[in-house]
Amino acid sequence: MVAKKVLSLVFVRDASRILLGLKKRGFGQGWWNGFGGKVEPGETIHEGALRELKEEAGVTGHELQEVGLLKFEFVGDPVLLEVHVFSTTKYTGQPSESEEMKPRWFDVDDLPFSQMWADDSLWFPLLLKGSKFSGYFLFKGHHEILKYTLDEVERLEY
Ligand SMILES: Nc1nc2c([nH]c(=O)n2[C@H]2C[C@H](O)[C@@H](COP(=O)(O)OP(=O)(O)OP(=O)(O)O)O2)c(=O)[nH]1
């Protein structure tokens, strides 16, 4: 049986910028990403997303919209990752560094794709234009995508 891990991933945006964090440890260390992590027992995915955003970036998110559903498999690993992607322009608090992430605003025209997960450059254009999207990526190691599907969708289906 394939085990499934459910994770959140949150992007905070303003008119021309997006808040990313440099992951300081663990999965994806050394890469820029949104904020998120494993959903804990007893919380909804949305609650998990808000908690991780607060823990990792010091920011309270409001009116999070779920915009993407991304599934990942890694060759040789029986675990399927199901990443729920959220976006918002509404937040309170100032981004601040945590044990896990070092936040920084990036201009949306100048994103550090060479220091991000390889799939991100494929779906970021959909995220940035405000579309909803659904994707599946099969990785070999953490750098190479062997195959993928990616669709712009009207609504997300689970
Ligand atoms: N942008 C992007 N994010 C990804 C990809 N794959 C992937 O898991 N993520 C996200 C989902 C989560 O937000 C984050 C991984 O979560 P994590 O393992 O750090 O979870 P956590 O914070 O609960 O971890 P920990 O406390 O146990 O260390 O990375 C990807 O290919 N691209």
PDB file of all heavy atoms in Angstrom, residues 4-11 27 33 35-39 45 66-72 74 80-86 117 119 123 133-135 156 158:
ATOM      1  N   LYS A   4       0.053   8.041   2.208  1.00  0.00           N
ATOM      2  CA  LYS A   4      -0.116   9.412   1.717  1.00  0.00           C
ATOM      3  C   LYS A   4       0.193  10.395   2.838  1.00  0.00           C
ATOM      4  O   LYS A   4      -0.241  10.195   3.964  1.00  0.00           O
ATOM      5  CB  LYS A   4      -1.555   9.594   1.248  1.00  0.00           C
ATOM      6  CG  LYS A   4      -1.792  10.930   0.577  1.00  0.00           C
ATOM      7  CD  LYS A   4      -3.181  11.018  -0.015  1.00  0.00           C
ATOM      8  CE  LYS A   4      -4.187  11.488   1.008  1.00  0.00           C
ATOM      9  NZ  LYS A   4      -5.511  11.794   0.398  1.00  0.00           N
ATOM     10  N   LYS A   5       0.950  11.425   2.500  1.00  0.00           N
ATOM     11  CA  LYS A   5       1.239  12.489   3.466  1.00  0.00           C
ATOM     12  C   LYS A   5       0.601  13.767   2.933  1.00  0.00           C
ATOM     13  O   LYS A   5       0.829  14.141   1.776  1.00  0.00           O
ATOM     14  CB  LYS A   5       2.751  12.705   3.529  1.00  0.00           C
ATOM     15  CG  LYS A   5       3.359  12.606   4.897  1.00  0.00           C
ATOM     16  CD  LYS A   5       4.783  13.085   4.860  1.00  0.00           C
ATOM     17  CE  LYS A   5       5.737  12.047   5.362  1.00  0.00           C
ATOM     18  NZ  LYS A   5       7.138  12.478   5.256  1.00  0.00           N
ATOM     19  N   VAL A   6      -0.195  14.429   3.766  1.00  0.00           N
ATOM     20  CA  VAL A   6      -0.869  15.661   3.341  1.00  0.00           C
ATOM     21  C   VAL A   6      -0.113  16.856   3.907  1.00  0.00           C
ATOM     22  O   VAL A   6       0.166  16.918   5.110  1.00  0.00           O
ATOM     23  CB  VAL A   6      -2.342  15.665   3.817  1.00  0.00           C
ATOM     24  CG1 VAL A   6      -3.040  16.945   3.387  1.00  0.00           C
ATOM     25  CG2 VAL A   6      -3.079  14.452   3.260  1.00  0.00           C
ATOM     26  N   LEU A   7       0.206  17.790   3.015  1.00  0.00           N
ATOM     27  CA  LEU A   7       0.989  18.975   3.415  1.00  0.00           C
ATOM     28  C   LEU A   7       0.336  20.243   2.889  1.00  0.00           C
ATOM     29  O   LEU A   7      -0.388  20.214   1.894  1.00  0.00           O
ATOM     30  CB  LEU A   7       2.407  18.889   2.843  1.00  0.00           C
ATOM     31  CG  LEU A   7       3.208  17.671   3.252  1.00  0.00           C
ATOM     32  CD1 LEU A   7       3.483  16.792   2.048  1.00  0.00           C
ATOM     33  CD2 LEU A   7       4.510  18.056   3.907  1.00  0.00           C
ATOM     34  N   SER A   8       0.627  21.347   3.556  1.00  0.00           N
ATOM     35  CA  SER A   8       0.161  22.659   3.087  1.00  0.00           C
ATOM     36  C   SER A   8       1.350  23.439   2.532  1.00  0.00           C
ATOM     37  O   SER A   8       2.515  23.157   2.856  1.00  0.00           O
ATOM     38  CB  SER A   8      -0.451  23.438   4.257  1.00  0.00           C
ATOM     39  OG  SER A   8       0.536  23.662   5.253  1.00  0.00           O
ATOM     40  N   LEU A   9       1.027  24.425   1.696  1.00  0.00           N
ATOM     41  CA  LEU A   9       2.055  25.310   1.137  1.00  0.00           C
ATOM     42  C   LEU A   9       1.384  26.655   0.875  1.00  0.00           C
ATOM     43  O   LEU A   9       0.431  26.725   0.109  1.00  0.00           O
ATOM     44  CB  LEU A   9       2.602  24.708  -0.163  1.00  0.00           C
ATOM     45  CG  LEU A   9       3.677  25.492  -0.894  1.00  0.00           C
ATOM     46  CD1 LEU A   9       4.918  25.644  -0.019  1.00  0.00           C
ATOM     47  CD2 LEU A   9       4.043  24.801  -2.207  1.00  0.00           C
ATOM     48  N   VAL A  10       1.874  27.704   1.547  1.00  0.00           N
ATOM     49  CA  VAL A  10       1.177  28.988   1.518  1.00  0.00           C
ATOM     50  C   VAL A  10       2.042  30.079   0.893  1.00  0.00           C
ATOM     51  O   VAL A  10       3.214  30.244   1.274  1.00  0.00           O
ATOM     52  CB  VAL A  10       0.806  29.451   2.956  1.00  0.00           C
ATOM     53  CG1 VAL A  10      -0.049  30.716   2.908  1.00  0.00           C
ATOM     54  CG2 VAL A  10       0.088  28.355   3.706  1.00  0.00           C
ATOM     55  N   PHE A  11       1.421  30.815  -0.026  1.00  0.00           N
ATOM     56  CA  PHE A  11       2.101  31.960  -0.632  1.00  0.00           C
ATOM     57  C   PHE A  11       1.358  33.237  -0.271  1.00  0.00           C
ATOM     58  O   PHE A  11       0.150  33.342  -0.473  1.00  0.00           O
ATOM     59  CB  PHE A  11       2.163  31.798  -2.156  1.00  0.00           C
ATOM     60  CG  PHE A  11       3.048  30.654  -2.562  1.00  0.00           C
ATOM     61  CD1 PHE A  11       2.518  29.405  -2.834  1.00  0.00           C
ATOM     62  CD2 PHE A  11       4.423  30.823  -2.610  1.00  0.00           C
ATOM     63  CE1 PHE A  11       3.342  28.337  -3.182  1.00  0.00           C
ATOM     64  CE2 PHE A  11       5.263  29.760  -2.954  1.00  0.00           C
ATOM     65  CZ  PHE A  11       4.712  28.521  -3.244  1.00  0.00           C
ATOM     66  N   PHE A  27      13.607  18.794   4.628  1.00  0.00           N
ATOM     67  CA  PHE A  27      13.191  18.550   3.255  1.00  0.00           C
ATOM     68  C   PHE A  27      13.192  19.853   2.451  1.00  0.00           C
ATOM     69  O   PHE A  27      12.508  20.804   2.813  1.00  0.00           O
ATOM     70  CB  PHE A  27      11.767  17.968   3.325  1.00  0.00           C
ATOM     71  CG  PHE A  27      11.288  17.306   2.085  1.00  0.00           C
ATOM     72  CD1 PHE A  27      11.972  16.234   1.537  1.00  0.00           C
ATOM     73  CD2 PHE A  27      10.120  17.735   1.472  1.00  0.00           C
ATOM     74  CE1 PHE A  27      11.504  15.603   0.402  1.00  0.00           C
ATOM     75  CE2 PHE A  27       9.639  17.110   0.337  1.00  0.00           C
ATOM     76  CZ  PHE A  27      10.331  16.043  -0.196  1.00  0.00           C
ATOM     77  N   ASN A  33      11.001  28.703  -0.862  1.00  0.00           N
ATOM     78  CA  ASN A  33       9.676  28.093  -1.005  1.00  0.00           C
ATOM     79  C   ASN A  33       8.647  28.940  -0.265  1.00  0.00           C
ATOM     80  O   ASN A  33       8.992  29.842   0.507  1.00  0.00           O
ATOM     81  CB  ASN A  33       9.703  26.666  -0.433  1.00  0.00           C
ATOM     82  CG  ASN A  33       8.623  25.765  -1.040  1.00  0.00           C
ATOM     83  OD1 ASN A  33       7.732  26.240  -1.762  1.00  0.00           O
ATOM     84  ND2 ASN A  33       8.701  24.491  -0.753  1.00  0.00           N
ATOM     85  N   PHE A  35       5.483  28.748   2.596  1.00  0.00           N
ATOM     86  CA  PHE A  35       5.527  28.256   3.975  1.00  0.00           C
ATOM     87  C   PHE A  35       4.495  27.137   4.142  1.00  0.00           C
ATOM     88  O   PHE A  35       3.392  27.239   3.634  1.00  0.00           O
ATOM     89  CB  PHE A  35       5.255  29.412   4.940  1.00  0.00           C
ATOM     90  CG  PHE A  35       6.218  30.545   4.705  1.00  0.00           C
ATOM     91  CD1 PHE A  35       5.900  31.564   3.819  1.00  0.00           C
ATOM     92  CD2 PHE A  35       7.469  30.546   5.296  1.00  0.00           C
ATOM     93  CE1 PHE A  35       6.802  32.591   3.548  1.00  0.00           C
ATOM     94  CE2 PHE A  35       8.380  31.554   5.035  1.00  0.00           C
ATOM     95  CZ  PHE A  35       8.047  32.581   4.161  1.00  0.00           C
ATOM     96  N   GLY A  36       4.874  26.098   4.854  1.00  0.00           N
ATOM     97  CA  GLY A  36       3.922  25.004   5.009  1.00  0.00           C
ATOM     98  C   GLY A  36       4.577  23.796   5.609  1.00  0.00           C
ATOM     99  O   GLY A  36       5.742  23.821   6.005  1.00  0.00           O
ATOM    100  N   GLY A  37       3.806  22.721   5.651  1.00  0.00           N
ATOM    101  CA  GLY A  37       4.335  21.485   6.214  1.00  0.00           C
ATOM    102  C   GLY A  37       3.218  20.488   6.424  1.00  0.00           C
ATOM    103  O   GLY A  37       2.109  20.669   5.920  1.00  0.00           O
ATOM    104  N   LYS A  38       3.539  19.470   7.191  1.00  0.00           N
ATOM    105  CA  LYS A  38       2.588  18.378   7.389  1.00  0.00           C
ATOM    106  C   LYS A  38       1.371  18.853   8.174  1.00  0.00           C
ATOM    107  O   LYS A  38       1.504  19.576   9.158  1.00  0.00           O
ATOM    108  CB  LYS A  38       3.259  17.237   8.152  1.00  0.00           C
ATOM    109  CG  LYS A  38       4.367  16.570   7.364  1.00  0.00           C
ATOM    110  CD  LYS A  38       5.140  15.591   8.241  1.00  0.00           C
ATOM    111  CE  LYS A  38       6.581  15.449   7.805  1.00  0.00           C
ATOM    112  NZ  LYS A  38       7.446  16.611   8.056  1.00  0.00           N
ATOM    113  N   VAL A  39       0.209  18.423   7.708  1.00  0.00           N
ATOM    114  CA  VAL A  39      -1.016  18.698   8.453  1.00  0.00           C
ATOM    115  C   VAL A  39      -1.044  17.750   9.650  1.00  0.00           C
ATOM    116  O   VAL A  39      -0.766  16.554   9.516  1.00  0.00           O
ATOM    117  CB  VAL A  39      -2.250  18.475   7.542  1.00  0.00           C
ATOM    118  CG1 VAL A  39      -3.534  18.641   8.322  1.00  0.00           C
ATOM    119  CG2 VAL A  39      -2.199  19.443   6.365  1.00  0.00           C
ATOM    120  N   ILE A  45      -6.741  21.046   6.775  1.00  0.00           N
ATOM    121  CA  ILE A  45      -5.600  21.460   5.953  1.00  0.00           C
ATOM    122  C   ILE A  45      -5.436  22.977   6.030  1.00  0.00           C
ATOM    123  O   ILE A  45      -4.328  23.507   6.142  1.00  0.00           O
ATOM    124  CB  ILE A  45      -5.799  20.992   4.491  1.00  0.00           C
ATOM    125  CG1 ILE A  45      -5.930  19.467   4.459  1.00  0.00           C
ATOM    126  CG2 ILE A  45      -4.647  21.448   3.611  1.00  0.00           C
ATOM    127  CD1 ILE A  45      -6.372  18.899   3.115  1.00  0.00           C
ATOM    128  N   GLU A  66      -7.528  28.251  -1.538  1.00  0.00           N
ATOM    129  CA  GLU A  66      -6.809  27.065  -2.018  1.00  0.00           C
ATOM    130  C   GLU A  66      -6.761  27.121  -3.542  1.00  0.00           C
ATOM    131  O   GLU A  66      -7.785  27.181  -4.218  1.00  0.00           O
ATOM    132  CB  GLU A  66      -7.485  25.778  -1.540  1.00  0.00           C
ATOM    133  CG  GLU A  66      -6.617  24.582  -1.886  1.00  0.00           C
ATOM    134  CD  GLU A  66      -6.962  23.318  -1.118  1.00  0.00           C
ATOM    135  OE1 GLU A  66      -7.873  23.352  -0.277  1.00  0.00           O
ATOM    136  OE2 GLU A  66      -6.308  22.300  -1.379  1.00  0.00           O
ATOM    137  N   VAL A  67      -5.558  27.136  -4.084  1.00  0.00           N
ATOM    138  CA  VAL A  67      -5.409  27.357  -5.529  1.00  0.00           C
ATOM    139  C   VAL A  67      -4.773  26.188  -6.264  1.00  0.00           C
ATOM    140  O   VAL A  67      -4.867  26.103  -7.488  1.00  0.00           O
ATOM    141  CB  VAL A  67      -4.581  28.636  -5.816  1.00  0.00           C
ATOM    142  CG1 VAL A  67      -5.336  29.873  -5.344  1.00  0.00           C
ATOM    143  CG2 VAL A  67      -3.204  28.569  -5.174  1.00  0.00           C
ATOM    144  N   GLY A  68      -4.107  25.296  -5.539  1.00  0.00           N
ATOM    145  CA  GLY A  68      -3.421  24.219  -6.250  1.00  0.00           C
ATOM    146  C   GLY A  68      -3.396  22.929  -5.462  1.00  0.00           C
ATOM    147  O   GLY A  68      -3.428  22.926  -4.227  1.00  0.00           O
ATOM    148  N   LEU A  69      -3.360  21.838  -6.205  1.00  0.00           N
ATOM    149  CA  LEU A  69      -3.201  20.522  -5.595  1.00  0.00           C
ATOM    150  C   LEU A  69      -2.082  19.815  -6.349  1.00  0.00           C
ATOM    151  O   LEU A  69      -2.212  19.554  -7.551  1.00  0.00           O
ATOM    152  CB  LEU A  69      -4.505  19.733  -5.699  1.00  0.00           C
ATOM    153  CG  LEU A  69      -4.486  18.374  -5.031  1.00  0.00           C
ATOM    154  CD1 LEU A  69      -4.278  18.507  -3.522  1.00  0.00           C
ATOM    155  CD2 LEU A  69      -5.787  17.628  -5.297  1.00  0.00           C
ATOM    156  N   LEU A  70      -0.986  19.554  -5.652  1.00  0.00           N
ATOM    157  CA  LEU A  70       0.192  18.969  -6.296  1.00  0.00           C
ATOM    158  C   LEU A  70       0.522  17.644  -5.626  1.00  0.00           C
ATOM    159  O   LEU A  70       0.608  17.561  -4.396  1.00  0.00           O
ATOM    160  CB  LEU A  70       1.392  19.920  -6.164  1.00  0.00           C
ATOM    161  CG  LEU A  70       1.217  21.295  -6.798  1.00  0.00           C
ATOM    162  CD1 LEU A  70       2.408  22.186  -6.459  1.00  0.00           C
ATOM    163  CD2 LEU A  70       1.061  21.176  -8.308  1.00  0.00           C
ATOM    164  N   LYS A  71       0.696  16.615  -6.449  1.00  0.00           N
ATOM    165  CA  LYS A  71       1.045  15.298  -5.904  1.00  0.00           C
ATOM    166  C   LYS A  71       2.457  14.941  -6.350  1.00  0.00           C
ATOM    167  O   LYS A  71       2.830  15.196  -7.500  1.00  0.00           O
ATOM    168  CB  LYS A  71       0.046  14.262  -6.384  1.00  0.00           C
ATOM    169  CG  LYS A  71      -1.335  14.532  -5.792  1.00  0.00           C
ATOM    170  CD  LYS A  71      -2.376  13.545  -6.243  1.00  0.00           C
ATOM    171  CE  LYS A  71      -3.705  13.920  -5.577  1.00  0.00           C
ATOM    172  NZ  LYS A  71      -4.822  13.164  -6.073  1.00  0.00           N
ATOM    173  N   PHE A  72       3.202  14.376  -5.425  1.00  0.00           N
ATOM    174  CA  PHE A  72       4.606  14.045  -5.702  1.00  0.00           C
ATOM    175  C   PHE A  72       4.892  12.604  -5.302  1.00  0.00           C
ATOM    176  O   PHE A  72       4.485  12.152  -4.231  1.00  0.00           O
ATOM    177  CB  PHE A  72       5.555  14.937  -4.895  1.00  0.00           C
ATOM    178  CG  PHE A  72       5.400  16.394  -5.194  1.00  0.00           C
ATOM    179  CD1 PHE A  72       4.610  17.209  -4.401  1.00  0.00           C
ATOM    180  CD2 PHE A  72       6.048  16.963  -6.286  1.00  0.00           C
ATOM    181  CE1 PHE A  72       4.462  18.556  -4.674  1.00  0.00           C
ATOM    182  CE2 PHE A  72       5.909  18.313  -6.571  1.00  0.00           C
ATOM    183  CZ  PHE A  72       5.116  19.102  -5.767  1.00  0.00           C
ATOM    184  N   PHE A  74       8.439   9.937  -5.326  1.00  0.00           N
ATOM    185  CA  PHE A  74       9.891   9.845  -5.485  1.00  0.00           C
ATOM    186  C   PHE A  74      10.230   8.389  -5.739  1.00  0.00           C
ATOM    187  O   PHE A  74       9.761   7.519  -4.994  1.00  0.00           O
ATOM    188  CB  PHE A  74      10.599  10.358  -4.230  1.00  0.00           C
ATOM    189  CG  PHE A  74      10.390  11.840  -4.012  1.00  0.00           C
ATOM    190  CD1 PHE A  74       9.243  12.308  -3.385  1.00  0.00           C
ATOM    191  CD2 PHE A  74      11.326  12.762  -4.464  1.00  0.00           C
ATOM    192  CE1 PHE A  74       9.030  13.668  -3.205  1.00  0.00           C
ATOM    193  CE2 PHE A  74      11.128  14.125  -4.287  1.00  0.00           C
ATOM    194  CZ  PHE A  74       9.977  14.582  -3.659  1.00  0.00           C
ATOM    195  N   LEU A  80       3.238   8.920  -1.077  1.00  0.00           N
ATOM    196  CA  LEU A  80       2.722   9.942  -1.985  1.00  0.00           C
ATOM    197  C   LEU A  80       2.534  11.232  -1.190  1.00  0.00           C
ATOM    198  O   LEU A  80       1.875  11.233  -0.157  1.00  0.00           O
ATOM    199  CB  LEU A  80       1.368   9.499  -2.560  1.00  0.00           C
ATOM    200  CG  LEU A  80       0.658  10.522  -3.448  1.00  0.00           C
ATOM    201  CD1 LEU A  80       1.292  10.556  -4.837  1.00  0.00           C
ATOM    202  CD2 LEU A  80      -0.835  10.199  -3.568  1.00  0.00           C
ATOM    203  N   LEU A  81       3.147  12.315  -1.668  1.00  0.00           N
ATOM    204  CA  LEU A  81       2.948  13.617  -1.019  1.00  0.00           C
ATOM    205  C   LEU A  81       1.804  14.335  -1.717  1.00  0.00           C
ATOM    206  O   LEU A  81       1.789  14.443  -2.937  1.00  0.00           O
ATOM    207  CB  LEU A  81       4.203  14.481  -1.121  1.00  0.00           C
ATOM    208  CG  LEU A  81       5.499  13.959  -0.511  1.00  0.00           C
ATOM    209  CD1 LEU A  81       6.584  15.030  -0.603  1.00  0.00           C
ATOM    210  CD2 LEU A  81       5.288  13.542   0.936  1.00  0.00           C
ATOM    211  N   GLU A  82       0.874  14.827  -0.913  1.00  0.00           N
ATOM    212  CA  GLU A  82      -0.238  15.598  -1.473  1.00  0.00           C
ATOM    213  C   GLU A  82      -0.143  17.004  -0.891  1.00  0.00           C
ATOM    214  O   GLU A  82      -0.387  17.210   0.294  1.00  0.00           O
ATOM    215  CB  GLU A  82      -1.558  14.923  -1.086  1.00  0.00           C
ATOM    216  CG  GLU A  82      -2.767  15.606  -1.675  1.00  0.00           C
ATOM    217  CD  GLU A  82      -4.052  14.916  -1.241  1.00  0.00           C
ATOM    218  OE1 GLU A  82      -4.388  13.854  -1.794  1.00  0.00           O
ATOM    219  OE2 GLU A  82      -4.705  15.437  -0.323  1.00  0.00           O
ATOM    220  N   VAL A  83       0.257  17.946  -1.734  1.00  0.00           N
ATOM    221  CA  VAL A  83       0.531  19.304  -1.261  1.00  0.00           C
ATOM    222  C   VAL A  83      -0.612  20.230  -1.688  1.00  0.00           C
ATOM    223  O   VAL A  83      -0.900  20.379  -2.880  1.00  0.00           O
ATOM    224  CB  VAL A  83       1.875  19.815  -1.819  1.00  0.00           C
ATOM    225  CG1 VAL A  83       2.111  21.265  -1.382  1.00  0.00           C
ATOM    226  CG2 VAL A  83       3.025  18.920  -1.352  1.00  0.00           C
ATOM    227  N   HIS A  84      -1.261  20.827  -0.702  1.00  0.00           N
ATOM    228  CA  HIS A  84      -2.359  21.762  -0.955  1.00  0.00           C
ATOM    229  C   HIS A  84      -1.796  23.183  -0.931  1.00  0.00           C
ATOM    230  O   HIS A  84      -1.283  23.631   0.098  1.00  0.00           O
ATOM    231  CB  HIS A  84      -3.435  21.598   0.116  1.00  0.00           C
ATOM    232  CG  HIS A  84      -4.116  20.259   0.068  1.00  0.00           C
ATOM    233  ND1 HIS A  84      -5.428  20.101  -0.297  1.00  0.00           N
ATOM    234  CD2 HIS A  84      -3.630  19.003   0.296  1.00  0.00           C
ATOM    235  CE1 HIS A  84      -5.739  18.806  -0.285  1.00  0.00           C
ATOM    236  NE2 HIS A  84      -4.661  18.128   0.087  1.00  0.00           N
ATOM    237  N   VAL A  85      -1.920  23.859  -2.061  1.00  0.00           N
ATOM    238  CA  VAL A  85      -1.299  25.173  -2.225  1.00  0.00           C
ATOM    239  C   VAL A  85      -2.341  26.273  -1.988  1.00  0.00           C
ATOM    240  O   VAL A  85      -3.431  26.238  -2.580  1.00  0.00           O
ATOM    241  CB  VAL A  85      -0.711  25.331  -3.644  1.00  0.00           C
ATOM    242  CG1 VAL A  85       0.032  26.654  -3.770  1.00  0.00           C
ATOM    243  CG2 VAL A  85       0.211  24.153  -3.991  1.00  0.00           C
ATOM    244  N   PHE A  86      -1.992  27.207  -1.114  1.00  0.00           N
ATOM    245  CA  PHE A  86      -2.871  28.322  -0.781  1.00  0.00           C
ATOM    246  C   PHE A  86      -2.204  29.640  -1.161  1.00  0.00           C
ATOM    247  O   PHE A  86      -0.971  29.749  -1.150  1.00  0.00           O
ATOM    248  CB  PHE A  86      -3.154  28.358   0.727  1.00  0.00           C
ATOM    249  CG  PHE A  86      -3.918  27.171   1.235  1.00  0.00           C
ATOM    250  CD1 PHE A  86      -3.266  25.994   1.570  1.00  0.00           C
ATOM    251  CD2 PHE A  86      -5.302  27.228   1.379  1.00  0.00           C
ATOM    252  CE1 PHE A  86      -3.980  24.889   2.046  1.00  0.00           C
ATOM    253  CE2 PHE A  86      -6.018  26.144   1.857  1.00  0.00           C
ATOM    254  CZ  PHE A  86      -5.353  24.972   2.195  1.00  0.00           C
ATOM    255  N   TRP A 117      12.473  24.084  -5.875  1.00  0.00           N
ATOM    256  CA  TRP A 117      12.128  22.762  -6.408  1.00  0.00           C
ATOM    257  C   TRP A 117      11.938  22.872  -7.919  1.00  0.00           C
ATOM    258  O   TRP A 117      11.372  23.852  -8.415  1.00  0.00           O
ATOM    259  CB  TRP A 117      10.832  22.252  -5.763  1.00  0.00           C
ATOM    260  CG  TRP A 117      10.992  21.699  -4.373  1.00  0.00           C
ATOM    261  CD1 TRP A 117      10.767  22.354  -3.196  1.00  0.00           C
ATOM    262  CD2 TRP A 117      11.391  20.365  -4.020  1.00  0.00           C
ATOM    263  NE1 TRP A 117      11.005  21.511  -2.137  1.00  0.00           N
ATOM    264  CE2 TRP A 117      11.382  20.290  -2.607  1.00  0.00           C
ATOM    265  CE3 TRP A 117      11.746  19.228  -4.739  1.00  0.00           C
ATOM    266  CZ2 TRP A 117      11.721  19.124  -1.914  1.00  0.00           C
ATOM    267  CZ3 TRP A 117      12.086  18.061  -4.040  1.00  0.00           C
ATOM    268  CH2 TRP A 117      12.066  18.020  -2.653  1.00  0.00           C
ATOM    269  N   ASP A 119       9.960  21.540 -10.029  1.00  0.00           N
ATOM    270  CA  ASP A 119       8.604  21.660 -10.571  1.00  0.00           C
ATOM    271  C   ASP A 119       8.050  23.081 -10.483  1.00  0.00           C
ATOM    272  O   ASP A 119       7.124  23.449 -11.195  1.00  0.00           O
ATOM    273  CB  ASP A 119       7.647  20.702  -9.849  1.00  0.00           C
ATOM    274  CG  ASP A 119       7.695  20.870  -8.339  1.00  0.00           C
ATOM    275  OD1 ASP A 119       8.726  20.505  -7.732  1.00  0.00           O
ATOM    276  OD2 ASP A 119       6.727  21.395  -7.756  1.00  0.00           O
ATOM    277  N   TRP A 123       4.669  25.420 -12.520  1.00  0.00           N
ATOM    278  CA  TRP A 123       3.335  25.844 -12.077  1.00  0.00           C
ATOM    279  C   TRP A 123       3.278  27.270 -11.519  1.00  0.00           C
ATOM    280  O   TRP A 123       2.193  27.826 -11.361  1.00  0.00           O
ATOM    281  CB  TRP A 123       2.721  24.839 -11.095  1.00  0.00           C
ATOM    282  CG  TRP A 123       3.563  24.450  -9.903  1.00  0.00           C
ATOM    283  CD1 TRP A 123       4.349  23.341  -9.790  1.00  0.00           C
ATOM    284  CD2 TRP A 123       3.689  25.150  -8.661  1.00  0.00           C
ATOM    285  NE1 TRP A 123       4.964  23.309  -8.559  1.00  0.00           N
ATOM    286  CE2 TRP A 123       4.571  24.407  -7.847  1.00  0.00           C
ATOM    287  CE3 TRP A 123       3.139  26.345  -8.148  1.00  0.00           C
ATOM    288  CZ2 TRP A 123       4.927  24.813  -6.555  1.00  0.00           C
ATOM    289  CZ3 TRP A 123       3.491  26.753  -6.864  1.00  0.00           C
ATOM    290  CH2 TRP A 123       4.365  25.984  -6.101  1.00  0.00           C
ATOM    291  N   PHE A 133      -4.759  25.113 -10.255  1.00  0.00           N
ATOM    292  CA  PHE A 133      -3.976  24.123 -10.995  1.00  0.00           C
ATOM    293  C   PHE A 133      -3.856  22.820 -10.213  1.00  0.00           C
ATOM    294  O   PHE A 133      -3.961  22.794  -8.979  1.00  0.00           O
ATOM    295  CB  PHE A 133      -2.573  24.671 -11.331  1.00  0.00           C
ATOM    296  CG  PHE A 133      -1.854  25.242 -10.150  1.00  0.00           C
ATOM    297  CD1 PHE A 133      -0.998  24.457  -9.381  1.00  0.00           C
ATOM    298  CD2 PHE A 133      -2.051  26.567  -9.771  1.00  0.00           C
ATOM    299  CE1 PHE A 133      -0.339  24.980  -8.282  1.00  0.00           C
ATOM    300  CE2 PHE A 133      -1.400  27.094  -8.668  1.00  0.00           C
ATOM    301  CZ  PHE A 133      -0.543  26.303  -7.920  1.00  0.00           C
ATOM    302  N   SER A 134      -3.618  21.763 -10.986  1.00  0.00           N
ATOM    303  CA  SER A 134      -3.518  20.436 -10.410  1.00  0.00           C
ATOM    304  C   SER A 134      -2.378  19.709 -11.119  1.00  0.00           C
ATOM    305  O   SER A 134      -2.302  19.752 -12.349  1.00  0.00           O
ATOM    306  CB  SER A 134      -4.873  19.762 -10.668  1.00  0.00           C
ATOM    307  OG  SER A 134      -4.836  18.440 -10.305  1.00  0.00           O
ATOM    308  N   GLY A 135      -1.505  19.076 -10.350  1.00  0.00           N
ATOM    309  CA  GLY A 135      -0.355  18.459 -11.000  1.00  0.00           C
ATOM    310  C   GLY A 135       0.115  17.199 -10.308  1.00  0.00           C
ATOM    311  O   GLY A 135      -0.206  16.941  -9.138  1.00  0.00           O
ATOM    312  N   LEU A 156     -10.700  22.610  -7.880  1.00  0.00           N
ATOM    313  CA  LEU A 156      -9.807  21.534  -7.446  1.00  0.00           C
ATOM    314  C   LEU A 156     -10.632  20.318  -7.039  1.00  0.00           C
ATOM    315  O   LEU A 156     -11.655  20.455  -6.361  1.00  0.00           O
ATOM    316  CB  LEU A 156      -8.966  22.002  -6.260  1.00  0.00           C
ATOM    317  CG  LEU A 156      -8.064  23.176  -6.573  1.00  0.00           C
ATOM    318  CD1 LEU A 156      -7.432  23.724  -5.303  1.00  0.00           C
ATOM    319  CD2 LEU A 156      -6.974  22.773  -7.562  1.00  0.00           C
ATOM    320  N   TYR A 158     -10.542  16.385  -5.281  1.00  0.00           N
ATOM    321  CA  TYR A 158      -9.698  15.508  -4.451  1.00  0.00           C
ATOM    322  C   TYR A 158     -10.024  14.058  -4.695  1.00  0.00           C
ATOM    323  O   TYR A 158     -11.116  13.709  -5.034  1.00  0.00           O
ATOM    324  CB  TYR A 158      -9.905  15.860  -2.968  1.00  0.00           C
ATOM    325  CG  TYR A 158      -9.709  17.321  -2.739  1.00  0.00           C
ATOM    326  CD1 TYR A 158     -10.766  18.147  -2.430  1.00  0.00           C
ATOM    327  CD2 TYR A 158      -8.450  17.883  -2.932  1.00  0.00           C
ATOM    328  CE1 TYR A 158     -10.582  19.498  -2.263  1.00  0.00           C
ATOM    329  CE2 TYR A 158      -8.264  19.241  -2.770  1.00  0.00           C
ATOM    330  CZ  TYR A 158      -9.326  20.038  -2.440  1.00  0.00           C
ATOM    331  OH  TYR A 158      -9.147  21.371  -2.280  1.00  0.00           O
TER     332      TYR A 158
END
